[in-house]
Structures are given as C-alpha cells and as structure tokens.
Amino acid sequence: GDKVGFRDDAPVVTTNTVSTALEVDETVLTTDDSANFASAFTVNYGADGAATTNALVYSLGVKATGVDSGVVDTATGQRVYLYLEGGIVVGRVGVGGSASSTGLKAFEIRVDSATAEVGLDQIRSLVHPTGGTASPNELITLTTDTVTLTATATDKDGDVHSAFINLGDKVGFRDDAPVVTTNTV
C-alpha cells in the first residue's frame, strides 16, 4: 500500500548585516552604552508557529573560555581575556601574561534575553595604540570573532533553530585624552 508521511516544519533563523554598534568613551567610565541587535536576525516559525513562551531567546557567547579579547589593560599592561559568567561576557585582566578567571574586571557585556538589547560597561582604562596628538579619541574594538550574539527560536512543537552574529568588532572603546586648560593669572 501507499504510505502517507508528514514532514515536520522547523523554525529558521537567518542573520542580517547591521551597522549597530556599542561604543563607550573612557572619558566617563560610568557612562555605559546599549544598543538593540534584534534587527540582526530574521525568524520564520513556519507552520507550527512560535512557541507560547520563550519563542525567541538571545544569548551571548565567547569563542573559548579565556580567549584573548584583543585589547590591553592600561594600568597593568596585561591583555584582557574573555569569560562567560552567568550569561554575561566579562573581560578580565590577565595575570603574569596569562588568562586569569579571577583577574580584575575590565568590562562587561550583557544581553536582555528577550529583546536583544546589549549593554557595554567599561570598568578599566584600555590601551589605545596610536597615541599622540593625532588620536585623542581613538576607537579600538574587540577581535571580531571573540564574542557572539545568538538568537534561538523555538516553535510550538518544540523544534529549535539558532544562528549567531560576531559581536567583537561591534564593541568599541573610545580613548580619553588629557585636557590642558588655561587660567587667567
């Protein structure tokens, strides 16, 4: 006899190129930046439709535990290494030229798992290699593939699909330059 089969339909997540970026300025370390990266993803839930809860969840990741971020801590001259701690990407200052999971925090990157709002909090000053009078506001970024943002879609019958974008080159730090002012004497 003939057999009748039904293929399941799964959600599909695709990525889009976005110019969205996070940028903080060392001039005021207490000022954080955030940006929404939801437009970096397109989701099609297919015939099953979106799951009732947590249909689309955003999460951060690092290329590897303790991967070199590509930036250097100003005060110590040590490289900054990346760790995923409770869903937060933490840049930690190396110790003795090596990655250290207990090193001082240089910065943190967070994501709202429901909205794709990504926040950047710079805690310590970072080395801006150009220096001199030509680059008082020099921008440095993390190495492109060291940090990822993933969107994971789930449909009504539990099928899951995810896709990610590289976030490293979209995380930037502006330099702080010394300022000399004159006074009337």
Side-chain angles (χ1 to χ4, degrees), residues 72-78 124-125 127:
V72 175
D73 177 59
T74 301
T76 62
Q78 296 283 331
R124 296 175 60 86
S125 172
V127 173

Short mmCIF file of all heavy atoms in Angstrom, two decimals, residues 72-78 124-125 127:
data_model
loop_
_atom_site.label_atom_id
_atom_site.label_comp_id
_atom_site.label_asym_id
_atom_site.label_seq_id
_atom_site.Cartn_x
_atom_site.Cartn_y
_atom_site.Cartn_z
N VAL A 72 44.10 45.62 25.65
CA VAL A 72 45.09 45.57 26.73
C VAL A 72 44.71 46.57 27.82
O VAL A 72 44.32 47.70 27.53
CB VAL A 72 46.50 45.90 26.17
CG1 VAL A 72 47.54 45.98 27.28
CG2 VAL A 72 46.92 44.86 25.13
N ASP A 73 44.85 46.14 29.08
CA ASP A 73 44.58 46.99 30.24
C ASP A 73 45.71 48.03 30.37
O ASP A 73 46.88 47.68 30.34
CB ASP A 73 44.52 46.10 31.50
CG ASP A 73 44.31 46.91 32.77
OD1 ASP A 73 43.30 47.62 32.85
OD2 ASP A 73 45.17 46.82 33.67
N THR A 74 45.34 49.30 30.50
CA THR A 74 46.33 50.38 30.56
C THR A 74 47.21 50.30 31.81
O THR A 74 48.43 50.39 31.73
CB THR A 74 45.63 51.76 30.51
OG1 THR A 74 44.88 51.85 29.30
CG2 THR A 74 46.65 52.89 30.55
N ALA A 75 46.58 50.14 32.97
CA ALA A 75 47.32 50.22 34.23
C ALA A 75 48.36 49.11 34.41
O ALA A 75 49.44 49.35 34.94
CB ALA A 75 46.35 50.20 35.41
N THR A 76 48.04 47.90 33.93
CA THR A 76 48.94 46.76 34.17
C THR A 76 49.73 46.35 32.93
O THR A 76 50.71 45.61 33.04
CB THR A 76 48.12 45.53 34.62
OG1 THR A 76 47.23 45.17 33.56
CG2 THR A 76 47.35 45.81 35.90
N GLY A 77 49.27 46.77 31.75
CA GLY A 77 49.92 46.34 30.51
C GLY A 77 49.58 44.90 30.14
O GLY A 77 50.12 44.35 29.18
N GLN A 78 48.65 44.29 30.89
CA GLN A 78 48.25 42.90 30.63
C GLN A 78 47.13 42.85 29.60
O GLN A 78 46.30 43.75 29.53
CB GLN A 78 47.74 42.24 31.93
CG GLN A 78 48.78 42.11 33.02
CD GLN A 78 49.75 40.98 32.77
OE1 GLN A 78 49.43 39.98 32.14
NE2 GLN A 78 50.96 41.14 33.26
N ARG A 124 37.67 49.51 33.42
CA ARG A 124 39.07 49.94 33.47
C ARG A 124 39.50 50.54 32.14
O ARG A 124 38.97 50.21 31.10
CB ARG A 124 39.97 48.74 33.81
CG ARG A 124 39.72 48.16 35.19
CD ARG A 124 40.54 46.92 35.42
NE ARG A 124 41.97 47.14 35.34
CZ ARG A 124 42.73 47.55 36.36
NH1 ARG A 124 42.18 47.80 37.51
NH2 ARG A 124 44.03 47.71 36.20
N SER A 125 40.50 51.41 32.21
CA SER A 125 41.04 52.04 31.01
C SER A 125 41.79 51.00 30.16
O SER A 125 42.46 50.12 30.68
CB SER A 125 42.01 53.14 31.45
OG SER A 125 42.70 53.66 30.34
N VAL A 127 44.33 50.25 26.56
CA VAL A 127 45.39 50.85 25.75
C VAL A 127 44.86 51.16 24.35
O VAL A 127 44.27 50.30 23.69
CB VAL A 127 46.61 49.91 25.66
CG1 VAL A 127 47.64 50.46 24.67
CG2 VAL A 127 47.24 49.72 27.03
#
